[in-house]
Amino acid sequence: MIASRSAPKPPNKLSFNHNVSLTVSLTVGSPPQQVTMVLDTGSELSWLHCRKTPGTPYVFDPIKSSSYTPIPCSSPTCRVRTRDFTLPVSCDPKKLCHATLSYADLTSVEGNLAAETFRFGNSAVPRTVFGCMDSGSSSNPGEDSRTTGLIGMNRGSLSFVSQMGFPKFSYCISGRDSTGILLFGDANFPWLKPLSYTPLVKISTPLPYFDRVAYTVQLEGIKVSGAVLPLPKSVYVPDHTGAGQTMVDSGTQFTFLLGPAYTALKSEFVKQTKGVLRVYEDPNFVFQGAMDLCYRVGLNRPGLPMLPTVSLVFRGAEMSVSAEKLLYKVPGMVKGSDQIYCFTFGNSDLLGVEAYVIGHHHQQNVWMEFDLVGSRVGLAEVRCDLAGQRLGMGL
């Protein structure tokens, strides 16, 4: 459900940084407090750490803000607009709306819903609903200690983009200098080539494993250097429980495929890189719990060899993954005179996720547009470092 739209607004832009996560900086509260938030198209509620701990040094302090308003459990916001949360909200002893959010990587946070003024670019949006979180557990404490929270950008009624009332937003992630650009509103630039669009897949009946407010697109096939994986189309279609949807998720780093598709892709990629790459043979090593195809690359090698391009074929659009986007150097891992690089596609089954997930690593140097009104996702290859420079110059 998308919030009602007012007159079109001029595009608002924010730059961001990325490492393991994409992060944007904005200000919240009165007077404004600077916060850094992970950009996540895979979740709904935005939230901030509101209690300082050794693991969460960067926090938003509600006591210092005159515009901070906690949301009571009796409020329609608490009762109605939280219906797409994965866990139901509850009432705390102070009769305030209490939310617990949990994510596929086993991270969880909990705290109260509140309304506050969020400022970004040239906009100030009062009474933006978010979570003021006072406890949680993280699967990535290093990354967590560098950010203040998360900005939820899916299609749910309490997501940041729904509350802002923008009909669409875009982002562009540079592969080179760990920066990017986030744009709210229309992206009409002479230097941006026409986007290829793929429609969002929607279902009217609630199904147990189908996330109805995700950006779900239809994956129709996978190619390795033009060779289509020999799989039936049904492998890519959600089943009767809703399991098997394909989600575009900026909050996940790599891309994960369900078992049969992953096995077929791994087998074809190994076949096409035989004699070019040396497989790292260690059955006990699985990078990040779901990536079990890794390679040895000599420390003295100037760069990666020529690799076959992997193309994800969607209805109406295609995403090509080539060169350094295919392999990721495992930080600090050296075996003899070799560094270890892992294939940037993983197995969803090993993560315990019943879906195909397109992560941000494969969205580098692709202009990604999320059109909420048109119910579609658009993409076009572009040098995102140059796009950022052009936007910085107001082009």
Side-chain angles (χ1 to χ4, degrees):
M1 294 283 285
I2 307 305
S4 60
R5 308 262 163 239
S6 50
K9 302 171 190 172
N12 246 300
K13 61 177 188 286
L14 274 176
S15 57
F16 60 74
N17 286 291
H18 71 92
N19 178 16
V20 176
S21 316
L22 307 180
T23 56
V24 293
S25 292
L26 50 158
T27 63
V28 179
S30 313
Q33 299 176 40
Q34 183 85 24
V35 297
T36 301
M37 302 175 80
V38 172
L39 180 71
D40 187 5
T41 58
S43 63
E44 179 172 358
L45 186 72
S46 302
W47 55 265
L48 293 166
H49 289 296
C50 289
R51 191 166 66 88
K52 197 172 270 197
T53 68
T56 56
Y58 299 109
V59 297
F60 167 72
D61 187 348
I63 295 165
K64 290 182 180 162
S65 173
S66 60
S67 48
Y68 178 81
T69 314
I71 290 174
C73 338
S74 55
S75 151
T77 298
C78 187
R79 294 202 318 267
V80 181
R81 295 182 71 190
T82 57
R83 65 184 174 275
D84 291 314
F85 287 17
T86 46
L87 295 166
V89 292
S90 61
C91 214
D92 78 358
K94 294 180 182 169
K95 300 271 191 292
L96 297 176
C97 191
H98 187 87
T100 302
L101 307 178
S102 61
Y103 300 91
D105 66 357
L106 304 179
T107 295
S108 70
V109 287
E110 59 180 293
N112 291 109
L113 288 199
E116 186 54 288
T117 301
F118 278 65
R119 293 177 187 80
F120 61 96
N122 51 19
S123 293
V125 187
R127 295 203 58 77
T128 300
V129 177
F130 77 110
C132 197
M133 302 310 195
D134 51 22
S135 66
S137 62
S138 173
S139 63
N140 194 340
E143 195 66 13
D144 221 36
S145 67
R146 290 196 287 272
T147 57
T148 329
L150 176 144
I151 190 161
M153 297 287 282
N154 75 7
R155 295 167 41 246
S157 80
L158 285 179
S159 80
F160 190 73
V161 69
S162 294
Q163 292 191 68
M164 294 299 113
F166 281 111
K168 60 178 71 165
F169 69 94
S170 310
Y171 57 70
C172 197
I173 309 163
S174 162
R176 187 159 299 180
D177 54 3
S178 300
T179 60
I181 195 82
L182 168 66
L183 189 84
F184 292 97
D186 271 308
N188 296 323
F189 305 113
W191 44 264
L192 184 61
K193 60 185 179 188
L195 306 186
S196 299
Y197 285 97
T198 185
L200 291 177
V201 175
K202 292 182 175 178
I203 58 157
S204 48
T205 332
L207 293 174
Y209 290 106
F210 192 93
D211 182 344
R212 289 196 296 165
V213 289
Y215 295 102
T216 300
V217 294
Q218 187 55 62
L219 184 61
E220 295 194 325
I222 300 172
K223 297 187 292 194
V224 185
S225 271
V228 179
L229 298 185
L231 293 168
K233 283 255 175 35
S234 58
V235 164
Y236 303 111
V237 178
D239 67 16
H240 66 285
T241 68
Q245 73 191 107
T246 299
M247 299 186 272
V248 182
D249 185 6
S250 69
T252 296
Q253 186 174 12
F254 299 111
T255 292
F256 298 94
L257 309 174
L258 288 179
Y262 173 73
T263 304
L265 173 61
K266 176 181 168 180
S267 159
E268 183 63 30
F269 192 80
V270 167
K271 188 171 95 182
Q272 292 199 25
T273 53
K274 207 172 176 64
V276 178
L277 288 171
R278 285 175 297 145
V279 174
Y280 175 50
E281 307 278 5
D282 178 355
N284 298 318
F285 181 70
V286 181
F287 183 53
Q288 293 193 357
M291 298 156 81
D292 62 0
L293 174 58
C294 299
Y295 293 96
R296 288 176 169 269
V297 176
L299 281 165
N300 51 6
R301 198 189 163 92
L304 292 171
M306 282 287 285
L307 298 171
T309 295
V310 175
S311 299
L312 301 172
V313 182
F314 304 107
R315 187 175 294 155
E318 203 167 295
M319 183 181 277
S320 293
V321 181
S322 58
E324 66 274 6
K325 282 201 276 187
L326 286 163
L327 297 181
Y328 183 81
K329 184 165 78 173
V330 179
M333 191 166 170
V334 175
K335 293 286 169 185
S337 58
D338 297 321
Q339 300 168 96
I340 304 301
Y341 281 75
C342 292
F343 190 43
T344 52
F345 289 86
N347 187 341
S348 295
D349 296 8
L350 293 179
L351 276 188
V353 173
E354 295 280 343
Y356 295 90
V357 182
I358 313 298
H360 67 74
H361 185 78
H362 292 162
Q363 299 172 43
Q364 289 177 27
N365 291 318
V366 179
W367 187 274
M368 298 291 303
E369 178 184 275
F370 297 81
D371 181 349
L372 287 87
V373 170
S375 292
R376 57 187 189 165
V377 174
L379 46 139
E381 291 190 6
V382 65
R383 276 274 304 278
C384 292
D385 53 343
L386 298 181
Q389 287 168 22
R390 284 168 167 153
L391 284 168
M393 293 184 270
L395 297 173

